[in-house]
Amino acid sequence: MKAMAVRRGEVSVEMLRERVLCHDVRDAGGVIVGHKGERVSEAKAAALLALPWEEIHVLAAEPGDLHEEDAGRRLASAVVGEGVEVKGYTGGQWTLAATRRGLLRIRRAQLTDVNALDGISVFTLFDGQPVDAGETVAKAKVTPLLIGEKTIVAVEDVARAANGLVTVPGFRPETIGAVARERLEPRQRTRFESALRQKSDWFGASLLPIRYAGDSAMAVADELRALRADGGRLLIVAGASALDPLDAVFGGLALVGARMERHGAPAHPGSLLWLADWEGLPVLGMPTCGMFSQATTFDLVLPRLLTGEPVGNRELAGLGHGGLLSRDMAYRFPPYRAGAVRGELE
């Protein structure tokens, strides 16, 4: 592209036609007649010549140049992947929105590669954030008014190889089974069941009737087997004394042949969360602080399991980055209730 400063005494309709305005052009009353970034038509060129200006700055496109709007449309279309759509264009930016409820995933390395190209800007929410259908998850724009097509082609190549840079894998409608300890008082049982049901409903999962186990490893094992036999594809265990290796819950896991993936998570609240694998079936240990209404590590791990992501020791170890789950970190939790702080229940 070529930047040009045209002065009134030197300009003609032909000189302005097909140029791109670098700034707004106003009439004597201050009303914008020519907008920044606008491609000047022959009629607009004639209108501009009738205005009281001394100098206008324009860009002349050269072979291989694209206008920002055309280039931005291609940029936005390239970076969206599964579960994301290009929603609209305003203020020079293309909005990308989730087409379904799911877990936002960003190809972070490729996003950096793309943004390192001169004139490209793609900005997103944080990777791993649960989002709802229709929620804006990213925006894309081309910074200059004209950009070389080869830059857009480079973006398209990177995005195509990554199957999109911004994706939202949907939550699977899994059947969840849960077992808690019998020692829970009736009021605690009601709160626990209500909280778990609200969370399951938000994810679109089915919650089997919650079972309560006695204080023996065999009792816990029997309830786990029953939940699996009833179709549970993700099992949750609550109420264990997580710091006691001889707690009946851990004995029950041993009896059914489950293997502990990790005991404890580098995040708070919910550092006593644990995860086991029972012949391919995840068994998630809910920390006591997450049994009722508080958002904890449980609310970070559950969405990942419900998208079918493999979660093991290394994935749980990764919770340490951003693991101080203060109220400022609420954006990391699912928006269980419309209009409420993310992660909050009734």
Side-chain angles (χ1 to χ4, degrees), residues 174-179 208-209 211 219-237 252-253 255-259 276-283:
E174 298 284 20
T175 299
I176 296 176
V179 58
L208 295 171
R211 293 175 172 270
V220 173
D222 287 345
E223 298 299 351
L224 290 172
R225 292 189 184 102
L227 288 170
R228 186 163 192 165
D230 288 343
R233 299 301 306 148
L234 168 60
L235 303 186
I236 294 169
V237 180
L253 291 173
L255 286 176
V256 299
R259 173 177 52 83
D277 179 88
W278 179 16
E279 299 173 353
L281 189 74
V283 184

Side-chain angles (χ1 to χ4, degrees), residues 161-191:
N163 292 319
L165 306 186
V166 184
T167 64
V168 176
F171 298 121
R172 299 179 177 184
E174 298 284 20
T175 299
I176 296 176
V179 58
R181 303 300 296 279
E182 278 186 347
R183 59 174 175 258
L184 284 180
E185 299 174 358
R187 185 182 174 199
Q188 291 177 318
R189 290 192 183 194
T190 299
R191 290 180 60 200

Side-chain angles (χ1 to χ4, degrees), residues 102-104 124-132 135 202 295 299-300 303 321-336 340-344:
L103 194 66
L104 178 63
T124 75
L125 298 180
F126 280 108
D127 177 50
Q129 179 173 321
V131 295
D132 216 338
E135 187 172 347
W202 190 85
D299 301 274
L300 300 181
H321 182 213
L324 287 174
L325 303 177
S326 65
R327 194 174 182 85
D328 294 333
M329 286 284 192
Y331 65 85
R332 299 191 63 191
F333 298 117
Y336 293 123
V341 174
R342 296 175 77 102
E344 283 192 354

Side-chain angles (χ1 to χ4, degrees), residues 4-333:
M4 304 168 56
V6 294
R7 297 188 62 81
R8 172 170 294 283
E10 306 166 351
V11 72
S12 65
V13 169
E14 185 61 28
M15 289 178 63
L16 286 178
R17 188 168 62 85
E18 297 303 317
R19 305 304 190 213
V20 177
L21 294 174
C22 294
H23 54 82
D24 295 334
V25 180
R26 300 174 184 269
D27 64 16
V31 176
I32 297 176
V33 176
H35 291 266
K36 177 178 64 177
E38 182 177 354
R39 286 173 283 201
V40 180
S41 64
E42 186 166 343
K44 180 55 64 75
L48 292 175
L49 285 175
L51 299 179
W53 51 267
E54 292 299 322
E55 184 175 279
I56 290 179
H57 296 170
V58 297
L59 296 177
E62 297 179 322
D65 285 343
L66 295 174
H67 186 269
E68 63 163 339
E69 188 171 344
D70 299 327
R73 183 183 296 107
R74 284 176 58 174
L75 168 65
S77 297
V79 301
V80 299
E82 175 193 18
V84 183
E85 66 179 352
V86 180
K87 196 69 175 179
Y89 176 75
T90 181
Q93 301 177 358
W94 294 87
T95 297
L96 314 182
T99 62
R100 60 191 175 195
R101 186 171 287 182
L103 194 66
L104 178 63
R105 281 307 185 196
I106 309 296
R107 308 280 192 263
R108 295 170 63 182
Q110 292 90 336
L111 177 65
T112 300
D113 290 341
V114 163
N115 281 330
L117 298 171
D118 191 31
I120 299 299
S121 292
V122 181
F123 33 103
T124 75
L125 298 180
F126 280 108
D127 177 50
Q129 179 173 321
V131 295
D132 216 338
E135 187 172 347
T136 296
V137 296
K139 291 194 176 185
K141 71 169 294 173
V142 170
T143 305
L145 300 174
L146 292 174
I147 192 170
E149 184 178 19
K150 63 181 181 181
T151 300
I152 301 302
V153 171
V155 171
E156 291 170 334
D157 289 343
V158 171
R160 187 181 306 111
N163 292 319
L165 306 186
V166 184
T167 64
V168 176
F171 298 121
R172 299 179 177 184
E174 298 284 20
T175 299
I176 296 176
V179 58
R181 303 300 296 279
E182 278 186 347
R183 59 174 175 258
L184 284 180
E185 299 174 358
R187 185 182 174 199
Q188 291 177 318
R189 290 192 183 194
T190 299
R191 290 180 60 200
F192 169 61
E193 292 179 5
S194 175
L196 191 53
R197 186 169 295 107
Q198 287 181 66
K199 294 179 180 183
S200 300
D201 288 347
W202 190 85
F203 290 112
S206 300
L207 180 63
L208 295 171
I210 295 175
R211 293 175 172 270
Y212 292 89
D215 291 326
S216 72
M218 183 58 70
V220 173
D222 287 345
E223 298 299 351
L224 290 172
R225 292 189 184 102
L227 288 170
R228 186 163 192 165
D230 288 343
R233 299 301 306 148
L234 168 60
L235 303 186
I236 294 169
V237 180
S241 180
L243 296 178
D244 180 2
L246 300 180
D247 186 88
V249 165
F250 304 121
L253 291 173
L255 286 176
V256 299
R259 173 177 52 83
M260 185 65 68
E261 287 282 348
R262 184 182 176 99
H263 196 147
H268 178 81
S271 60
L272 295 182
L273 173 135
W274 52 265
L275 178 67
D277 179 88
W278 179 16
E279 299 173 353
L281 189 74
V283 184
L284 184 61
M286 178 183 283
T288 302
C289 56
M291 288 181 63
F292 307 113
S293 59
Q294 185 176 10
T296 69
T297 53
F298 177 84
D299 301 274
L300 300 181
V301 177
L302 184 61
R304 298 174 69 166
L305 292 172
L306 289 175
T307 59
E309 281 190 19
V311 179
N313 175 53
R314 189 160 186 83
E315 288 73 24
L316 293 181
L319 296 178
H321 182 213
L324 287 174
L325 303 177
S326 65
R327 194 174 182 85
D328 294 333
M329 286 284 192
Y331 65 85
R332 299 191 63 191
F333 298 117

